[in-house]
Amino acid sequence: MTQPVDILLTNAHVLSMDEQLTQYDPGALAVRGDSIVAVGPEAEIKKEYAAKETFDCGGKILMPGLINAHTHVPMTLLRGLADDLRLDVWLQGYMWPVEREFVSPEFVRLGTQIACAEFIRSGVTTFNDMYFFEEEVAQATAEAGLRAVCGQSVLKFPTSDAPSYEDAMARARGFIQTWKGHELIVPAIAPHAPYTTTADMLRETAELAKEFDVPLHIHLAETSFEVENMREEQGMPVIPYVKKQGLFEAKVIAAHCVHIDPGEIRTLKNHGAGVAHNPSSNLKLASGFAPVTKMLEAGLNVGIGTDGPASNNNLDMFEEMRLASFVAKAASNDPTSVPAQTALTMATRFGAQALHLGHLTGSLTPGRRADLIVVDLSPVHNSPRFRRDPNNAYAQIVYAAKSADVSDVMVNGKWLMRDRQLLTLNEGELLDQASEIAKKIDAFLIAREQSVLSKLIALGGSIEEESFEVQVKVKLADPLKVRKGLERPEIEIIRIRHYDQHDTYFFFADPAQGRIRYREDEFLDEKGNVTATRPRLTLVGQKREDVFANEVLLSRSRYIAPAAQTLRFYREYFKPVREVELVKDRLRWLIKYKDTEFFVNLDDVQTPLLGNFLEIKSRTWSRGDAQRKAELVAELLSLLGAAGQPTVTEDYIELASMESPS
Ligand SMILES: [Zn+2]
C-alpha cells in the first residue's frame, strides 16, 4: 500500500549532501507538508508513495538549496555605490554616511525583497543576515518564502534604527521575542564586531542570545589591522578577547575569521561556533586568505557567505563556492584542498550547521524541511556529463554550473520558483523602486562631494565648528630673546608644552574649499622623549578675515576635530590634488597678560628649513574683543623683544613655496 504525500519529485539526479554524500540517479524525493518524507532510488520511492502533485525533474540535478552563511541583504540598494576602496574608507567614508541618511524601514524592506528575488533565482534557500530594522528583513523574507537567520545589529554608536546602545538592546530583545518560533525566520542578535562594540556589550548580547537560545552573529578577525589593534589594546588577538567576554557561551556564527591561528581555530571548534567564509568579499577588500583548509581539518562547521551585496557585489553562491575552492587551493598551495564535494557541502550541510540549523536544513534527508533546488546541467557550459566518478557531479555544479542554471526552487515545502518564474515576488516593480532610491543617493553624494566641509562632516564624530583667532607671526633672528622676555612680572605663565608637530596639508583644485591640515602633535618630556601623540584634523579656511595695526590678523578656522582615522584614510577619502608636509619643533606657553590668556608659540620650522618664528594667538568672540586683543598682542611683541621684526602674514606653507618654487 502506498503512503500519501503532497509532492513527488521524480526523474532526478539527486545529490542528497547527507553525511555519506549519497546520490540517486535516477532518484526521487517525497514531500509532505513542509518536510522531506523520503529520498531514494526513483523506482522505490514511486512504489512506496503516491502524491497529489508529481514534478518531473527531467533528469536535472535535485539538491538541497544553497545556504548563504553571511550577508547584509538590504544593501542590494547600495550595490555598486562605492568600490575599489579600502575597508575603512569604504565603510566609514561611504556606507555609514549613506546609511545614516537613507536607511529606513521601507529601504530595508525593498532591499530585502530584491535580495530574495536574487536568492531564489540563484538557488539560495536560507541566508544569515545582519542589518538594521531587522524586523523588516524578517517580514519581507517570510513573505517571499525564504528561510533566514535574521540578526538585529547592535553597535556602540547611534545607528539608523537605534539612537543608543541601550535602544539597540531593547530593539533586539523585542525583535527576538516577536519572531522566536516562526517557521521560516530564526531571530538572532548581531553585535557588529569587537571594534564597533564594547566588552560589556559583547557580554550582554551573549547573555541575551543565551536567554532566548538564539544565534549570535558577529564579524570576527576580518582584517590584520583589526587583529593588530586588538593585540595593542587588549594584549591578545580577537578570538581570546571575545571568549573572555563570554561570547562563546552563545551559539556564535562568526563571519570571516580570516586572521586566526590554530589555537583560535581550536577555541572556535571547542565552543561549537560556526564560521562563515566569504571569499569574494575577502578578495575584493584584500582582507587576506582565511585558513579554510585548517578550519575544515579541525572539524569546524565552515559555511560560505557572499557578505553584503555592496562588498561583493552579488549574492551568487555558485560563484562563491567556486571561489571558496579555488582560493583555498591557491592559499594552501595544494590543488587537492577543498575539492568540489567539500565546497558544495560547505554551501549546504556545513552552512546549515554553521548557522545552528543543521537539524532543519542543509541536506535532502527525511525529516528535514523541504528546501531544495533543481539545476539544469544541459546548457553548453555544463557539457558533457561524465558519470564514471561520483565526484564528477559535484565538479560540474561547483566548477561549471552557473546560478542561472537553477530552474526550480522550493522552501519549506512551497514552490518559490517554477521553470525560472518567480512565484512570490514581482521583480519589475522592485527594480523600479530601487532605481528611484539610487537617484536620490546619487544626488546626496554628488552634493556632498562638492564640498570638503560636507565631506568632513559626513564622517561624523565630534566636531568643533568655526572659530576666530587674533594672531601675529614674526620671523625671529634670536629666539632666546623671547624666552628671556617671558620672564617678566607682567606675564604670568600658566603652563609650558613642548612638542614636535608633523603637519600634512591637503590642497584641492578649488582653493575656495580651503585646505585640510592633518596634525600630529608629539608631546615631548624634558629629555625629548615622546610621551603622547594627538592627531587632529582642521579645515583651514580663508586666512585673513581682518587686519589690525602691526599686521595682527583675525583668522578663521572652519572646522577642527580629533582625527579618528589615519592619514592614509583621509588621503584616500579626500583625494587631494597636492600635499605638503611641515615639521616643526614647538614650545608653547599659555600665558596671562592683563587678565587675558594668550598662546605664545616659539617655532623652529625644520621641514622645510624656514628657521625660527614667534606666534602669538588668542581665541576671540566679537569684533570689540578682537580689537582689544590685537592691541595687547602688539604690546606683547614689544615686551618679548620682537617688535619691529618682519611680520609674516603668510603661513609656513606659503613661505615654503615662495622660497623654493616648485
Ligand atoms: Zn559582513
Side-chain angles (χ1 to χ4, degrees), residues 220-224 227 237 256-261 264 287-291:
L220 291 180
E222 179 173 2
T223 62
S224 56
V227 178
H256 297 299
C257 297
V258 176
H259 299 277
I260 58 172
D261 62 28
E264 293 178 280
S287 306
F289 302 102

Side-chain angles (χ1 to χ4, degrees), residues 123-246:
V124 170
T125 53
T126 298
F127 64 92
N128 176 35
D129 192 64
M130 174 197 294
Y131 208 63
F132 310 108
F133 300 107
E134 200 65 29
E135 69 281 3
E136 296 291 336
V137 175
Q139 186 64 45
T141 302
E143 287 171 18
L146 284 162
R147 192 179 304 286
V149 176
C150 295
Q152 169 63 38
S153 290
V154 177
L155 285 91
K156 67 181 169 190
F157 32 70
T159 59
S160 311
D161 64 357
S164 73
Y165 158 61
E166 288 74 18
D167 293 299
M169 283 302 283
R171 208 164 210 297
R173 175 177 284 274
F175 169 68
I176 292 168
Q177 281 170 333
T178 305
W179 287 90
K180 175 93 178 147
H182 189 275
E183 60 175 344
L184 291 171
I185 304 301
V186 175
I189 189 159
H192 173 265
Y195 60 91
T196 47
T197 54
T198 63
D200 284 345
M201 289 170 66
L202 292 177
R203 267 192 292 276
E204 285 173 43
T205 50
E207 283 300 320
L208 191 71
K210 256 168 42 186
E211 182 185 334
F212 290 96
D213 189 33
V214 294
L216 181 150
H217 181 189
I218 186 168
H219 295 99
L220 291 180
E222 179 173 2
T223 62
S224 56
F225 179 72
E226 176 190 347
V227 178
E228 278 162 34
N229 274 354
M230 185 62 78
R231 278 188 192 281
E232 241 167 65
E233 286 165 22
Q234 305 290 339
M236 62 184 96
V238 174
I239 304 298
Y241 167 75
V242 298
K243 184 187 169 197
K244 197 174 150 204
Q245 319 315 330

Side-chain angles (χ1 to χ4, degrees), residues 128-425:
N128 176 35
D129 192 64
M130 174 197 294
Y131 208 63
F132 310 108
F133 300 107
E134 200 65 29
E135 69 281 3
E136 296 291 336
V137 175
Q139 186 64 45
T141 302
E143 287 171 18
L146 284 162
R147 192 179 304 286
V149 176
C150 295
Q152 169 63 38
S153 290
V154 177
L155 285 91
K156 67 181 169 190
F157 32 70
T159 59
S160 311
D161 64 357
S164 73
Y165 158 61
E166 288 74 18
D167 293 299
M169 283 302 283
R171 208 164 210 297
R173 175 177 284 274
F175 169 68
I176 292 168
Q177 281 170 333
T178 305
W179 287 90
K180 175 93 178 147
H182 189 275
E183 60 175 344
L184 291 171
I185 304 301
V186 175
I189 189 159
H192 173 265
Y195 60 91
T196 47
T197 54
T198 63
D200 284 345
M201 289 170 66
L202 292 177
R203 267 192 292 276
E204 285 173 43
T205 50
E207 283 300 320
L208 191 71
K210 256 168 42 186
E211 182 185 334
F212 290 96
D213 189 33
V214 294
L216 181 150
H217 181 189
I218 186 168
H219 295 99
L220 291 180
E222 179 173 2
T223 62
S224 56
F225 179 72
E226 176 190 347
V227 178
E228 278 162 34
N229 274 354
M230 185 62 78
R231 278 188 192 281
E232 241 167 65
E233 286 165 22
Q234 305 290 339
M236 62 184 96
V238 174
I239 304 298
Y241 167 75
V242 298
K243 184 187 169 197
K244 197 174 150 204
Q245 319 315 330
L247 201 79
F248 294 120
E249 290 170 29
K251 297 192 289 191
V252 169
I253 308 166
H256 297 299
C257 297
V258 176
H259 299 277
I260 58 172
D261 62 28
E264 293 178 280
I265 291 176
R266 275 196 300 279
T267 303
L268 289 166
K269 166 69 185 160
N270 292 342
H271 293 87
V275 172
H277 170 48
N278 304 272
S280 285
S281 169
N282 296 162
L283 287 169
K284 185 165 181 254
L285 293 163
S287 306
F289 302 102
V292 171
T293 310
K294 293 210 169 69
M295 289 194 265
L296 290 168
E297 278 167 8
L300 260 181
N301 286 316
V302 185
I304 300 175
T306 56
D307 209 345
S311 60
N312 185 301
N313 294 359
N314 60 45
L315 297 171
D316 189 334
M317 281 292 293
F318 278 81
E319 189 178 293
E320 223 60 42
M321 286 192 281
R322 183 174 142 104
L323 279 177
S325 171
F326 289 179
V327 169
K329 293 175 194 310
S332 63
N333 197 24
D334 177 1
T336 68
S337 269
V338 186
Q341 61 271 28
T342 304
L344 192 58
T345 308
M346 290 167 76
T348 53
R349 182 160 43 86
F350 287 172
Q353 287 164 2
L355 305 192
H356 309 275
L357 299 181
H359 58 295
L360 281 183
T361 190
S363 64
L364 301 184
T365 308
R368 301 271 153 85
R369 301 290 185 269
D371 296 352
L372 50 90
I373 62 176
V374 178
V375 187
D376 183 4
L377 294 186
S378 69
V380 65
H381 58 262
N382 285 327
S383 303
R385 281 177 80 175
F386 292 101
R387 295 168 195 268
R388 174 188 55 87
D389 179 341
N391 287 333
N392 291 153
Y394 304 113
Q396 205 157 15
I397 293 285
V398 174
Y399 302 144
K402 298 189 181 300
S403 54
D405 299 336
V406 175
S407 58
D408 304 85
V409 175
M410 176 185 283
V411 175
N412 216 39
K414 292 203 176 64
W415 288 113
L416 305 186
M417 183 164 79
R418 285 289 289 269
D419 198 19
R420 299 200 174 86
Q421 296 299 311
L422 295 183
L423 302 177
T424 55
L425 291 156

Side-chain angles (χ1 to χ4, degrees), residues 373-514:
I373 62 176
V374 178
V375 187
D376 183 4
L377 294 186
S378 69
V380 65
H381 58 262
N382 285 327
S383 303
R385 281 177 80 175
F386 292 101
R387 295 168 195 268
R388 174 188 55 87
D389 179 341
N391 287 333
N392 291 153
Y394 304 113
Q396 205 157 15
I397 293 285
V398 174
Y399 302 144
K402 298 189 181 300
S403 54
D405 299 336
V406 175
S407 58
D408 304 85
V409 175
M410 176 185 283
V411 175
N412 216 39
K414 292 203 176 64
W415 288 113
L416 305 186
M417 183 164 79
R418 285 289 289 269
D419 198 19
R420 299 200 174 86
Q421 296 299 311
L422 295 183
L423 302 177
T424 55
L425 291 156
N426 181 335
E427 280 167 305
E429 270 175 27
L430 299 175
L431 295 179
D432 287 348
Q433 292 175 50
S435 76
E436 284 307 307
I437 291 184
K439 275 182 212 157
K440 287 182 192 154
I441 295 176
D442 258 344
F444 167 77
L445 279 179
I446 288 165
R448 183 189 88 167
E449 302 283 313
Q450 278 166 355
S451 146
V452 172
L453 180 62
S454 62
K455 254 189 116 162
L456 205 47
I457 290 168
L459 290 177
S462 64
I463 59 161
E464 203 176 298
E465 291 297 337
E466 64 177 7
S467 71
F468 291 87
E469 270 182 346
V470 168
Q471 62 160 290
V472 71
K473 190 185 300 173
V474 297
K475 187 148 174 57
L476 288 179
D478 183 7
L480 270 177
K481 243 190 195 170
V482 171
R483 302 184 69 159
K484 279 248 169 319
L486 281 163
E487 294 165 10
R488 290 172 163 274
E490 309 92 293
I491 297 175
E492 180 197 341
I493 292 174
I494 300 170
R495 64 162 191 259
I496 309 175
R497 286 264 160 82
H498 182 202
Y499 34 82
D500 274 337
Q501 265 179 353
H502 297 254
D503 292 344
T504 305
Y505 287 84
F506 290 168
F507 289 78
F508 301 99
D510 171 13
Q513 294 283 338

